[in-house]
Amino acid sequence: MSIKIGQKSYGDRIQDGLSNSFMRKAVSGAQGRFRSGRLKAAEELGDWEDWRTLGEEIRSHTMENLDYYLHQLSEQVENRGGTVFFAKTAEEANEYIQEIAKKKQAKKVVKSKSMVTEEIGLNKALEKSGCEVVESDLGEWILQLDEDPPSHIVTPALHKNKEQIRETFMKKKGYTGSDDPVELAAYAREQLRQDFLEADIGVTGCNFAVAESGAITLVTNEGNARMVTSLPDTQISVMGMERIVPTWEDLEVVVSLLTRAAVGQKLTSYITALTGTRLEDEVDGPEDFHLVIVDNGRSKILGTEFQSALHCIRCAACINACPVYRHVGGHSYGSIYPGPIGAVLTPLLDGYEDHKDLPYASTLCAACTEACPVKIPLHEHLIRHREIIVEREKMTTKAEKMMMMGFAKWASTPAAYKLSTKMARTTLKPWTKDEYIEKGPGPMKGWTEQRDFPAPSKERFRDWYRQREQRSDH
Amino acid sequence: MAIHNREAFLDNLAEQLGRTRRTKVESPVYSVHPQERVFQDATQGELVEKLEEQCKVIHTSFTSTKLETLGETLRTVLNDYGVTKVVGAAGPRNDATHLSTVYAELQSEGYDIHLWDENKGRENVTFAEQAGAGIVFSDITLAESGTVTLFNDRYNGRSISLLPETFIAIVPKSTLVPRMTQASQLIHEEEKKGNPVSSCVSFVTGPSNSADIEMNLIVGVHGPVKATYILVDDL
């Protein structure tokens, strides 16, 4: 897998989303809960805007000095017995990790949830090297068994119901129990416990690395990241190069923002900071630690007008606030990063060619920008993407180009404009009912399939204005 | 131990940022500091109340006791959970709180007690995996979120607080601070003084949980299913 999910067109993905009624209900229900959790947590804290300002300042400062802080981080990790690998591409990262697996003669790898390893397609690479790879986050485990991509950053299996999960467990693992979520989870616990104990390598992502001490921090509720980093002898942590803060004091602020903005928790059940290998007199934890720092297109964003997209702390608050995501769900974005941040980030990392529709998957209502705990101007980035797609990439369709040329010609020809605005009401009368057009003709069709269009007014604005001017003359 | 591909990678970043590589960066002065205002005037007693309140939110039992009755309280907690196989952190704090004596008594009463012992290697992990309860001391306790901070080390293996079904944290009242701000400040100051942070710092807030199946909160998905904090008035 890579950042792009599946081969279906944007239109087909949207139709799939719109016709999946369970997913739509699950997404809107979850959005409601996540959103109210976030707002309640922000209210309890009292000065949320100051927190957001601080979050933004920390992220800006870090990005402006990213080379310095990554250098400091790598020094510290090495001081603490770890090895650091800087990977320019996904392939370089995968090859390095495959090499470790080969050296260790690893048969089983347990992972804790990680977006960046999804992005680089690490599981496939490890499987090619003969390793069994087990996702240990409950949601990710379900998706792995079902060979399905995640649809949400925080709750990846949001789109699946308990009956589907039971069926997956039955088919793939021989499960015989009920579809009670407690029983399903207990079964997963029992199955995964064995995997943790047998694994040769533990792979994690990285929520935030701390430059000053070389710590890798993982923010989880299930504790699977602790399992992955406590039991196997070898630990490999993979981080997107921007997932770093300068100091522990900064870490605390971004973690507080992350947990509150994601689901409204003060802190998650586990926040684990791991630094290098276990010490000589320690029994558990890895004896061999590798940190893989991945660029994979991120550096192209540095120094551009989109730099603040790298500030993202992966809380999914923008996704939880987005009315478009609410209707179409995560898979419609065709990217492992869904929602507004996905629509901003995916074309930056993977180019416009496959993702030119994503910046249009937005109402530009700015709910995402308002929700973002580190103040990324998401809707402004989406507008800028659209400008680039039209002006620089020239990616609009021929039909749209011709239509826009026609519009320009019409709007700049006074006689044509005057005539058609006079005729509009009469022309559209056959399709008009109670001052609304429900099934419009020609170019209006796409619009009226989704919602009604108001019928042209009886009185043209120009006529109304002229009369008003005349009245005021008296 | 090595660092691969660093220079070319970081040179590229500097180039993208339109400048040469930075070898020194002044710590910035941020314009706001909201984190310092949370519970800033709270007394130790008020922090205890906040902690107790938060324990209800995080599905964690809370009980408080005096130092001299800690053994008795611990015995009651274990009894209530019906646990007889116990793994505990080792170290000087067991002697300081007289827990060593309590553990010895429990052992003579038929409890299977294992204190973390670096000389026994993986045997510790195997025992923890089978134990019904793991007992640790909180190093810093965060009232706002109900979090115990564990600096894992030779006495306090990572598995003690992770593998057994029940997690018991002994919380000295003196370790209470308003929130994570104070814990991270302390670690930051120690780093600056050249005292490196523990190889594993675990901020633990109640039992393990997940809401991955239809948003139903399920407790104990990977780690402990039950959690209890025993606050000890040690001042």
Side-chain angles (χ1 to χ4, degrees), chain A residues 5 26 29 59 69 92 96 101 110 118 168 176 207 220 222 227 238 243 269 284 289 331 338 359 371 377 382 407 435:
Chain A
I5 300 171
R59 295 303 286 146
Y69 288 121
E92 275 182 25
Y96 177 72
V110 279
E118 284 279 329
T168 303
T176 53
N207 284 92
T220 75
E222 295 180 6
M227 291 285 198
V238 188
R243 310 301 301 275
S269 299
D284 48 8
F289 171 69
H331 284 168
L382 290 172
F407 177 83
E435 292 300 304

Side-chain angles (χ1 to χ4, degrees), chain A residues 105-145:
Chain A
Q105 296 178 315
K107 290 189 178 59
K108 187 174 272 191
V109 175
V110 279
K111 286 181 68 202
S112 72
K113 194 181 135 204
S114 150
M115 300 296 290
V116 70
T117 59
E118 284 279 329
E119 181 190 313
I120 63 173
L122 177 62
N123 288 14
K124 280 233 170 85
L126 278 169
E127 281 159 9
K128 256 191 212 159
S129 306
C131 292
E132 182 194 351
V133 182
V134 182
E135 291 288 351
S136 64
D137 172 273
L138 177 59
E140 292 280 341
W141 192 61
I142 293 166
L143 297 183
Q144 187 185 33
L145 291 178

Side-chain angles (χ1 to χ4, degrees), chain A residues 47 50 57 64-65 74-75 80 84 88 136 162 189 222 226 252 260 269 271 273 275 282 284, chain B residues 2 4 6 12 19 22 31 37 129 144 159 161 179 188 197 199 201 203 205 208-209 214 222-223:
Chain A
D47 35 18
D50 276 1
E57 288 180 10
E64 286 301 329
N65 298 289
S74 60
E75 289 289 301
R80 296 294 296 261
V84 185
K88 182 92 183 128
S136 64
K162 56 183 196 286
R189 176 189 167 101
E222 295 180 6
R226 290 191 70 199
E252 182 273 300
R260 279 180 165 83
S269 299
I271 293 159
T275 311
E282 289 175 335
D284 48 8
Chain B
H4 305 280
R6 180 169 69 186
N12 174 47
R19 53 170 176 73
R22 277 195 182 144
S31 69
R37 294 200 286 270
E129 214 277 312
E144 182 200 33
S159 302
S161 54
R179 69 186 310 282
H188 174 64
V197 68
S199 66
V201 182
F203 296 95
T205 307
S208 151
N209 65 64
E214 295 196 9
H222 292 297

Side-chain angles (χ1 to χ4, degrees), chain A residues 33-34 47 50-51 54 57-58 61 63-65 67-71 74-75 78 80-81 83-88 136-139 156 161-162 165 181 184-185 189 192-193 196 212-213 221-222 224 226-227 229-231 241 247-250 252 256 260 266-275 281-286 295 299 302-303 307, chain B residues 1-6 9-10 12-14 16-17 19 21-26 28 30-32 34-35 37 54 116 118 121-122 124-125 129 142 144-145 147 152-154 157-159 161-163 179-181 184-185 187-188 191 196-205 207-210 212-216 218 220-225:
Chain A
R33 270 201 256 176
F34 287 144
D47 35 18
D50 276 1
W51 280 88
L54 182 56
E57 288 180 10
I58 291 171
H61 170 78
M63 282 317 112
E64 286 301 329
N65 298 289
D67 52 336
Y68 174 80
Y69 288 121
L70 284 174
H71 185 274
S74 60
E75 289 289 301
E78 192 188 34
R80 296 294 296 261
T83 302
V84 185
F85 185 86
F86 284 88
K88 182 92 183 128
S136 64
D137 172 273
L138 177 59
N161 63 32
K162 56 183 196 286
I165 294 168
L184 289 167
R189 176 189 167 101
L192 286 165
R193 193 49 86 96
F196 287 126
E212 73 172 332
S213 71
N221 272 315
E222 295 180 6
N224 56 320
R226 290 191 70 199
M227 291 285 198
T229 56
S230 293
L231 299 174
M241 66 175 202
T247 68
W248 273 83
E249 290 179 322
D250 301 318
E252 182 273 300
S256 294
R260 279 180 165 83
K266 289 186 174 107
L267 290 181
T268 50
S269 299
Y270 300 106
I271 293 159
T272 314
L274 301 140
T275 311
D281 51 10
E282 289 175 335
V283 170
D284 48 8
D295 180 333
S299 59
L302 273 184
Q307 184 168 306
Chain B
M1 283 184 296
I3 300 174
H4 305 280
N5 304 343
R6 180 169 69 186
F9 189 102
L10 297 183
N12 174 47
L13 300 193
Q16 293 292 327
L17 286 161
R19 53 170 176 73
R21 284 271 297 278
R22 277 195 182 144
T23 51
K24 196 172 184 308
V25 170
E26 289 298 322
Y30 297 122
S31 69
V32 281
Q35 71 275 43
R37 294 200 286 270
Q54 181 63 15
W116 199 260
E118 61 182 280
R122 290 296 279 193
N124 291 284
V125 179
E129 214 277 312
L142 321 179
E144 182 200 33
S145 52
T147 305
N152 297 111
D153 58 17
R154 59 193 282 213
R158 304 173 195 202
S159 302
S161 54
L162 182 63
L163 297 180
R179 69 186 310 282
M180 198 177 167
T181 307
S184 60
Q185 272 169 353
I187 297 170
H188 174 64
E191 276 290 331
V197 68
S198 153
S199 66
C200 179
V201 182
S202 304
F203 296 95
V204 180
T205 307
S208 151
N209 65 64
S210 164
D212 266 316
I213 304 176
E214 295 196 9
M215 296 286 291
N216 286 296
I218 299 157
V221 173
H222 292 297
V225 181

Side-chain angles (χ1 to χ4, degrees), chain B residues 175-194:
Chain B
T175 62
L176 259 174
V177 295
R179 69 186 310 282
M180 198 177 167
T181 307
Q182 289 72 25
S184 60
Q185 272 169 353
L186 184 131
I187 297 170
H188 174 64
E189 290 309 322
E190 289 300 314
E191 276 290 331
K192 280 210 297 198
K193 280 187 222 159

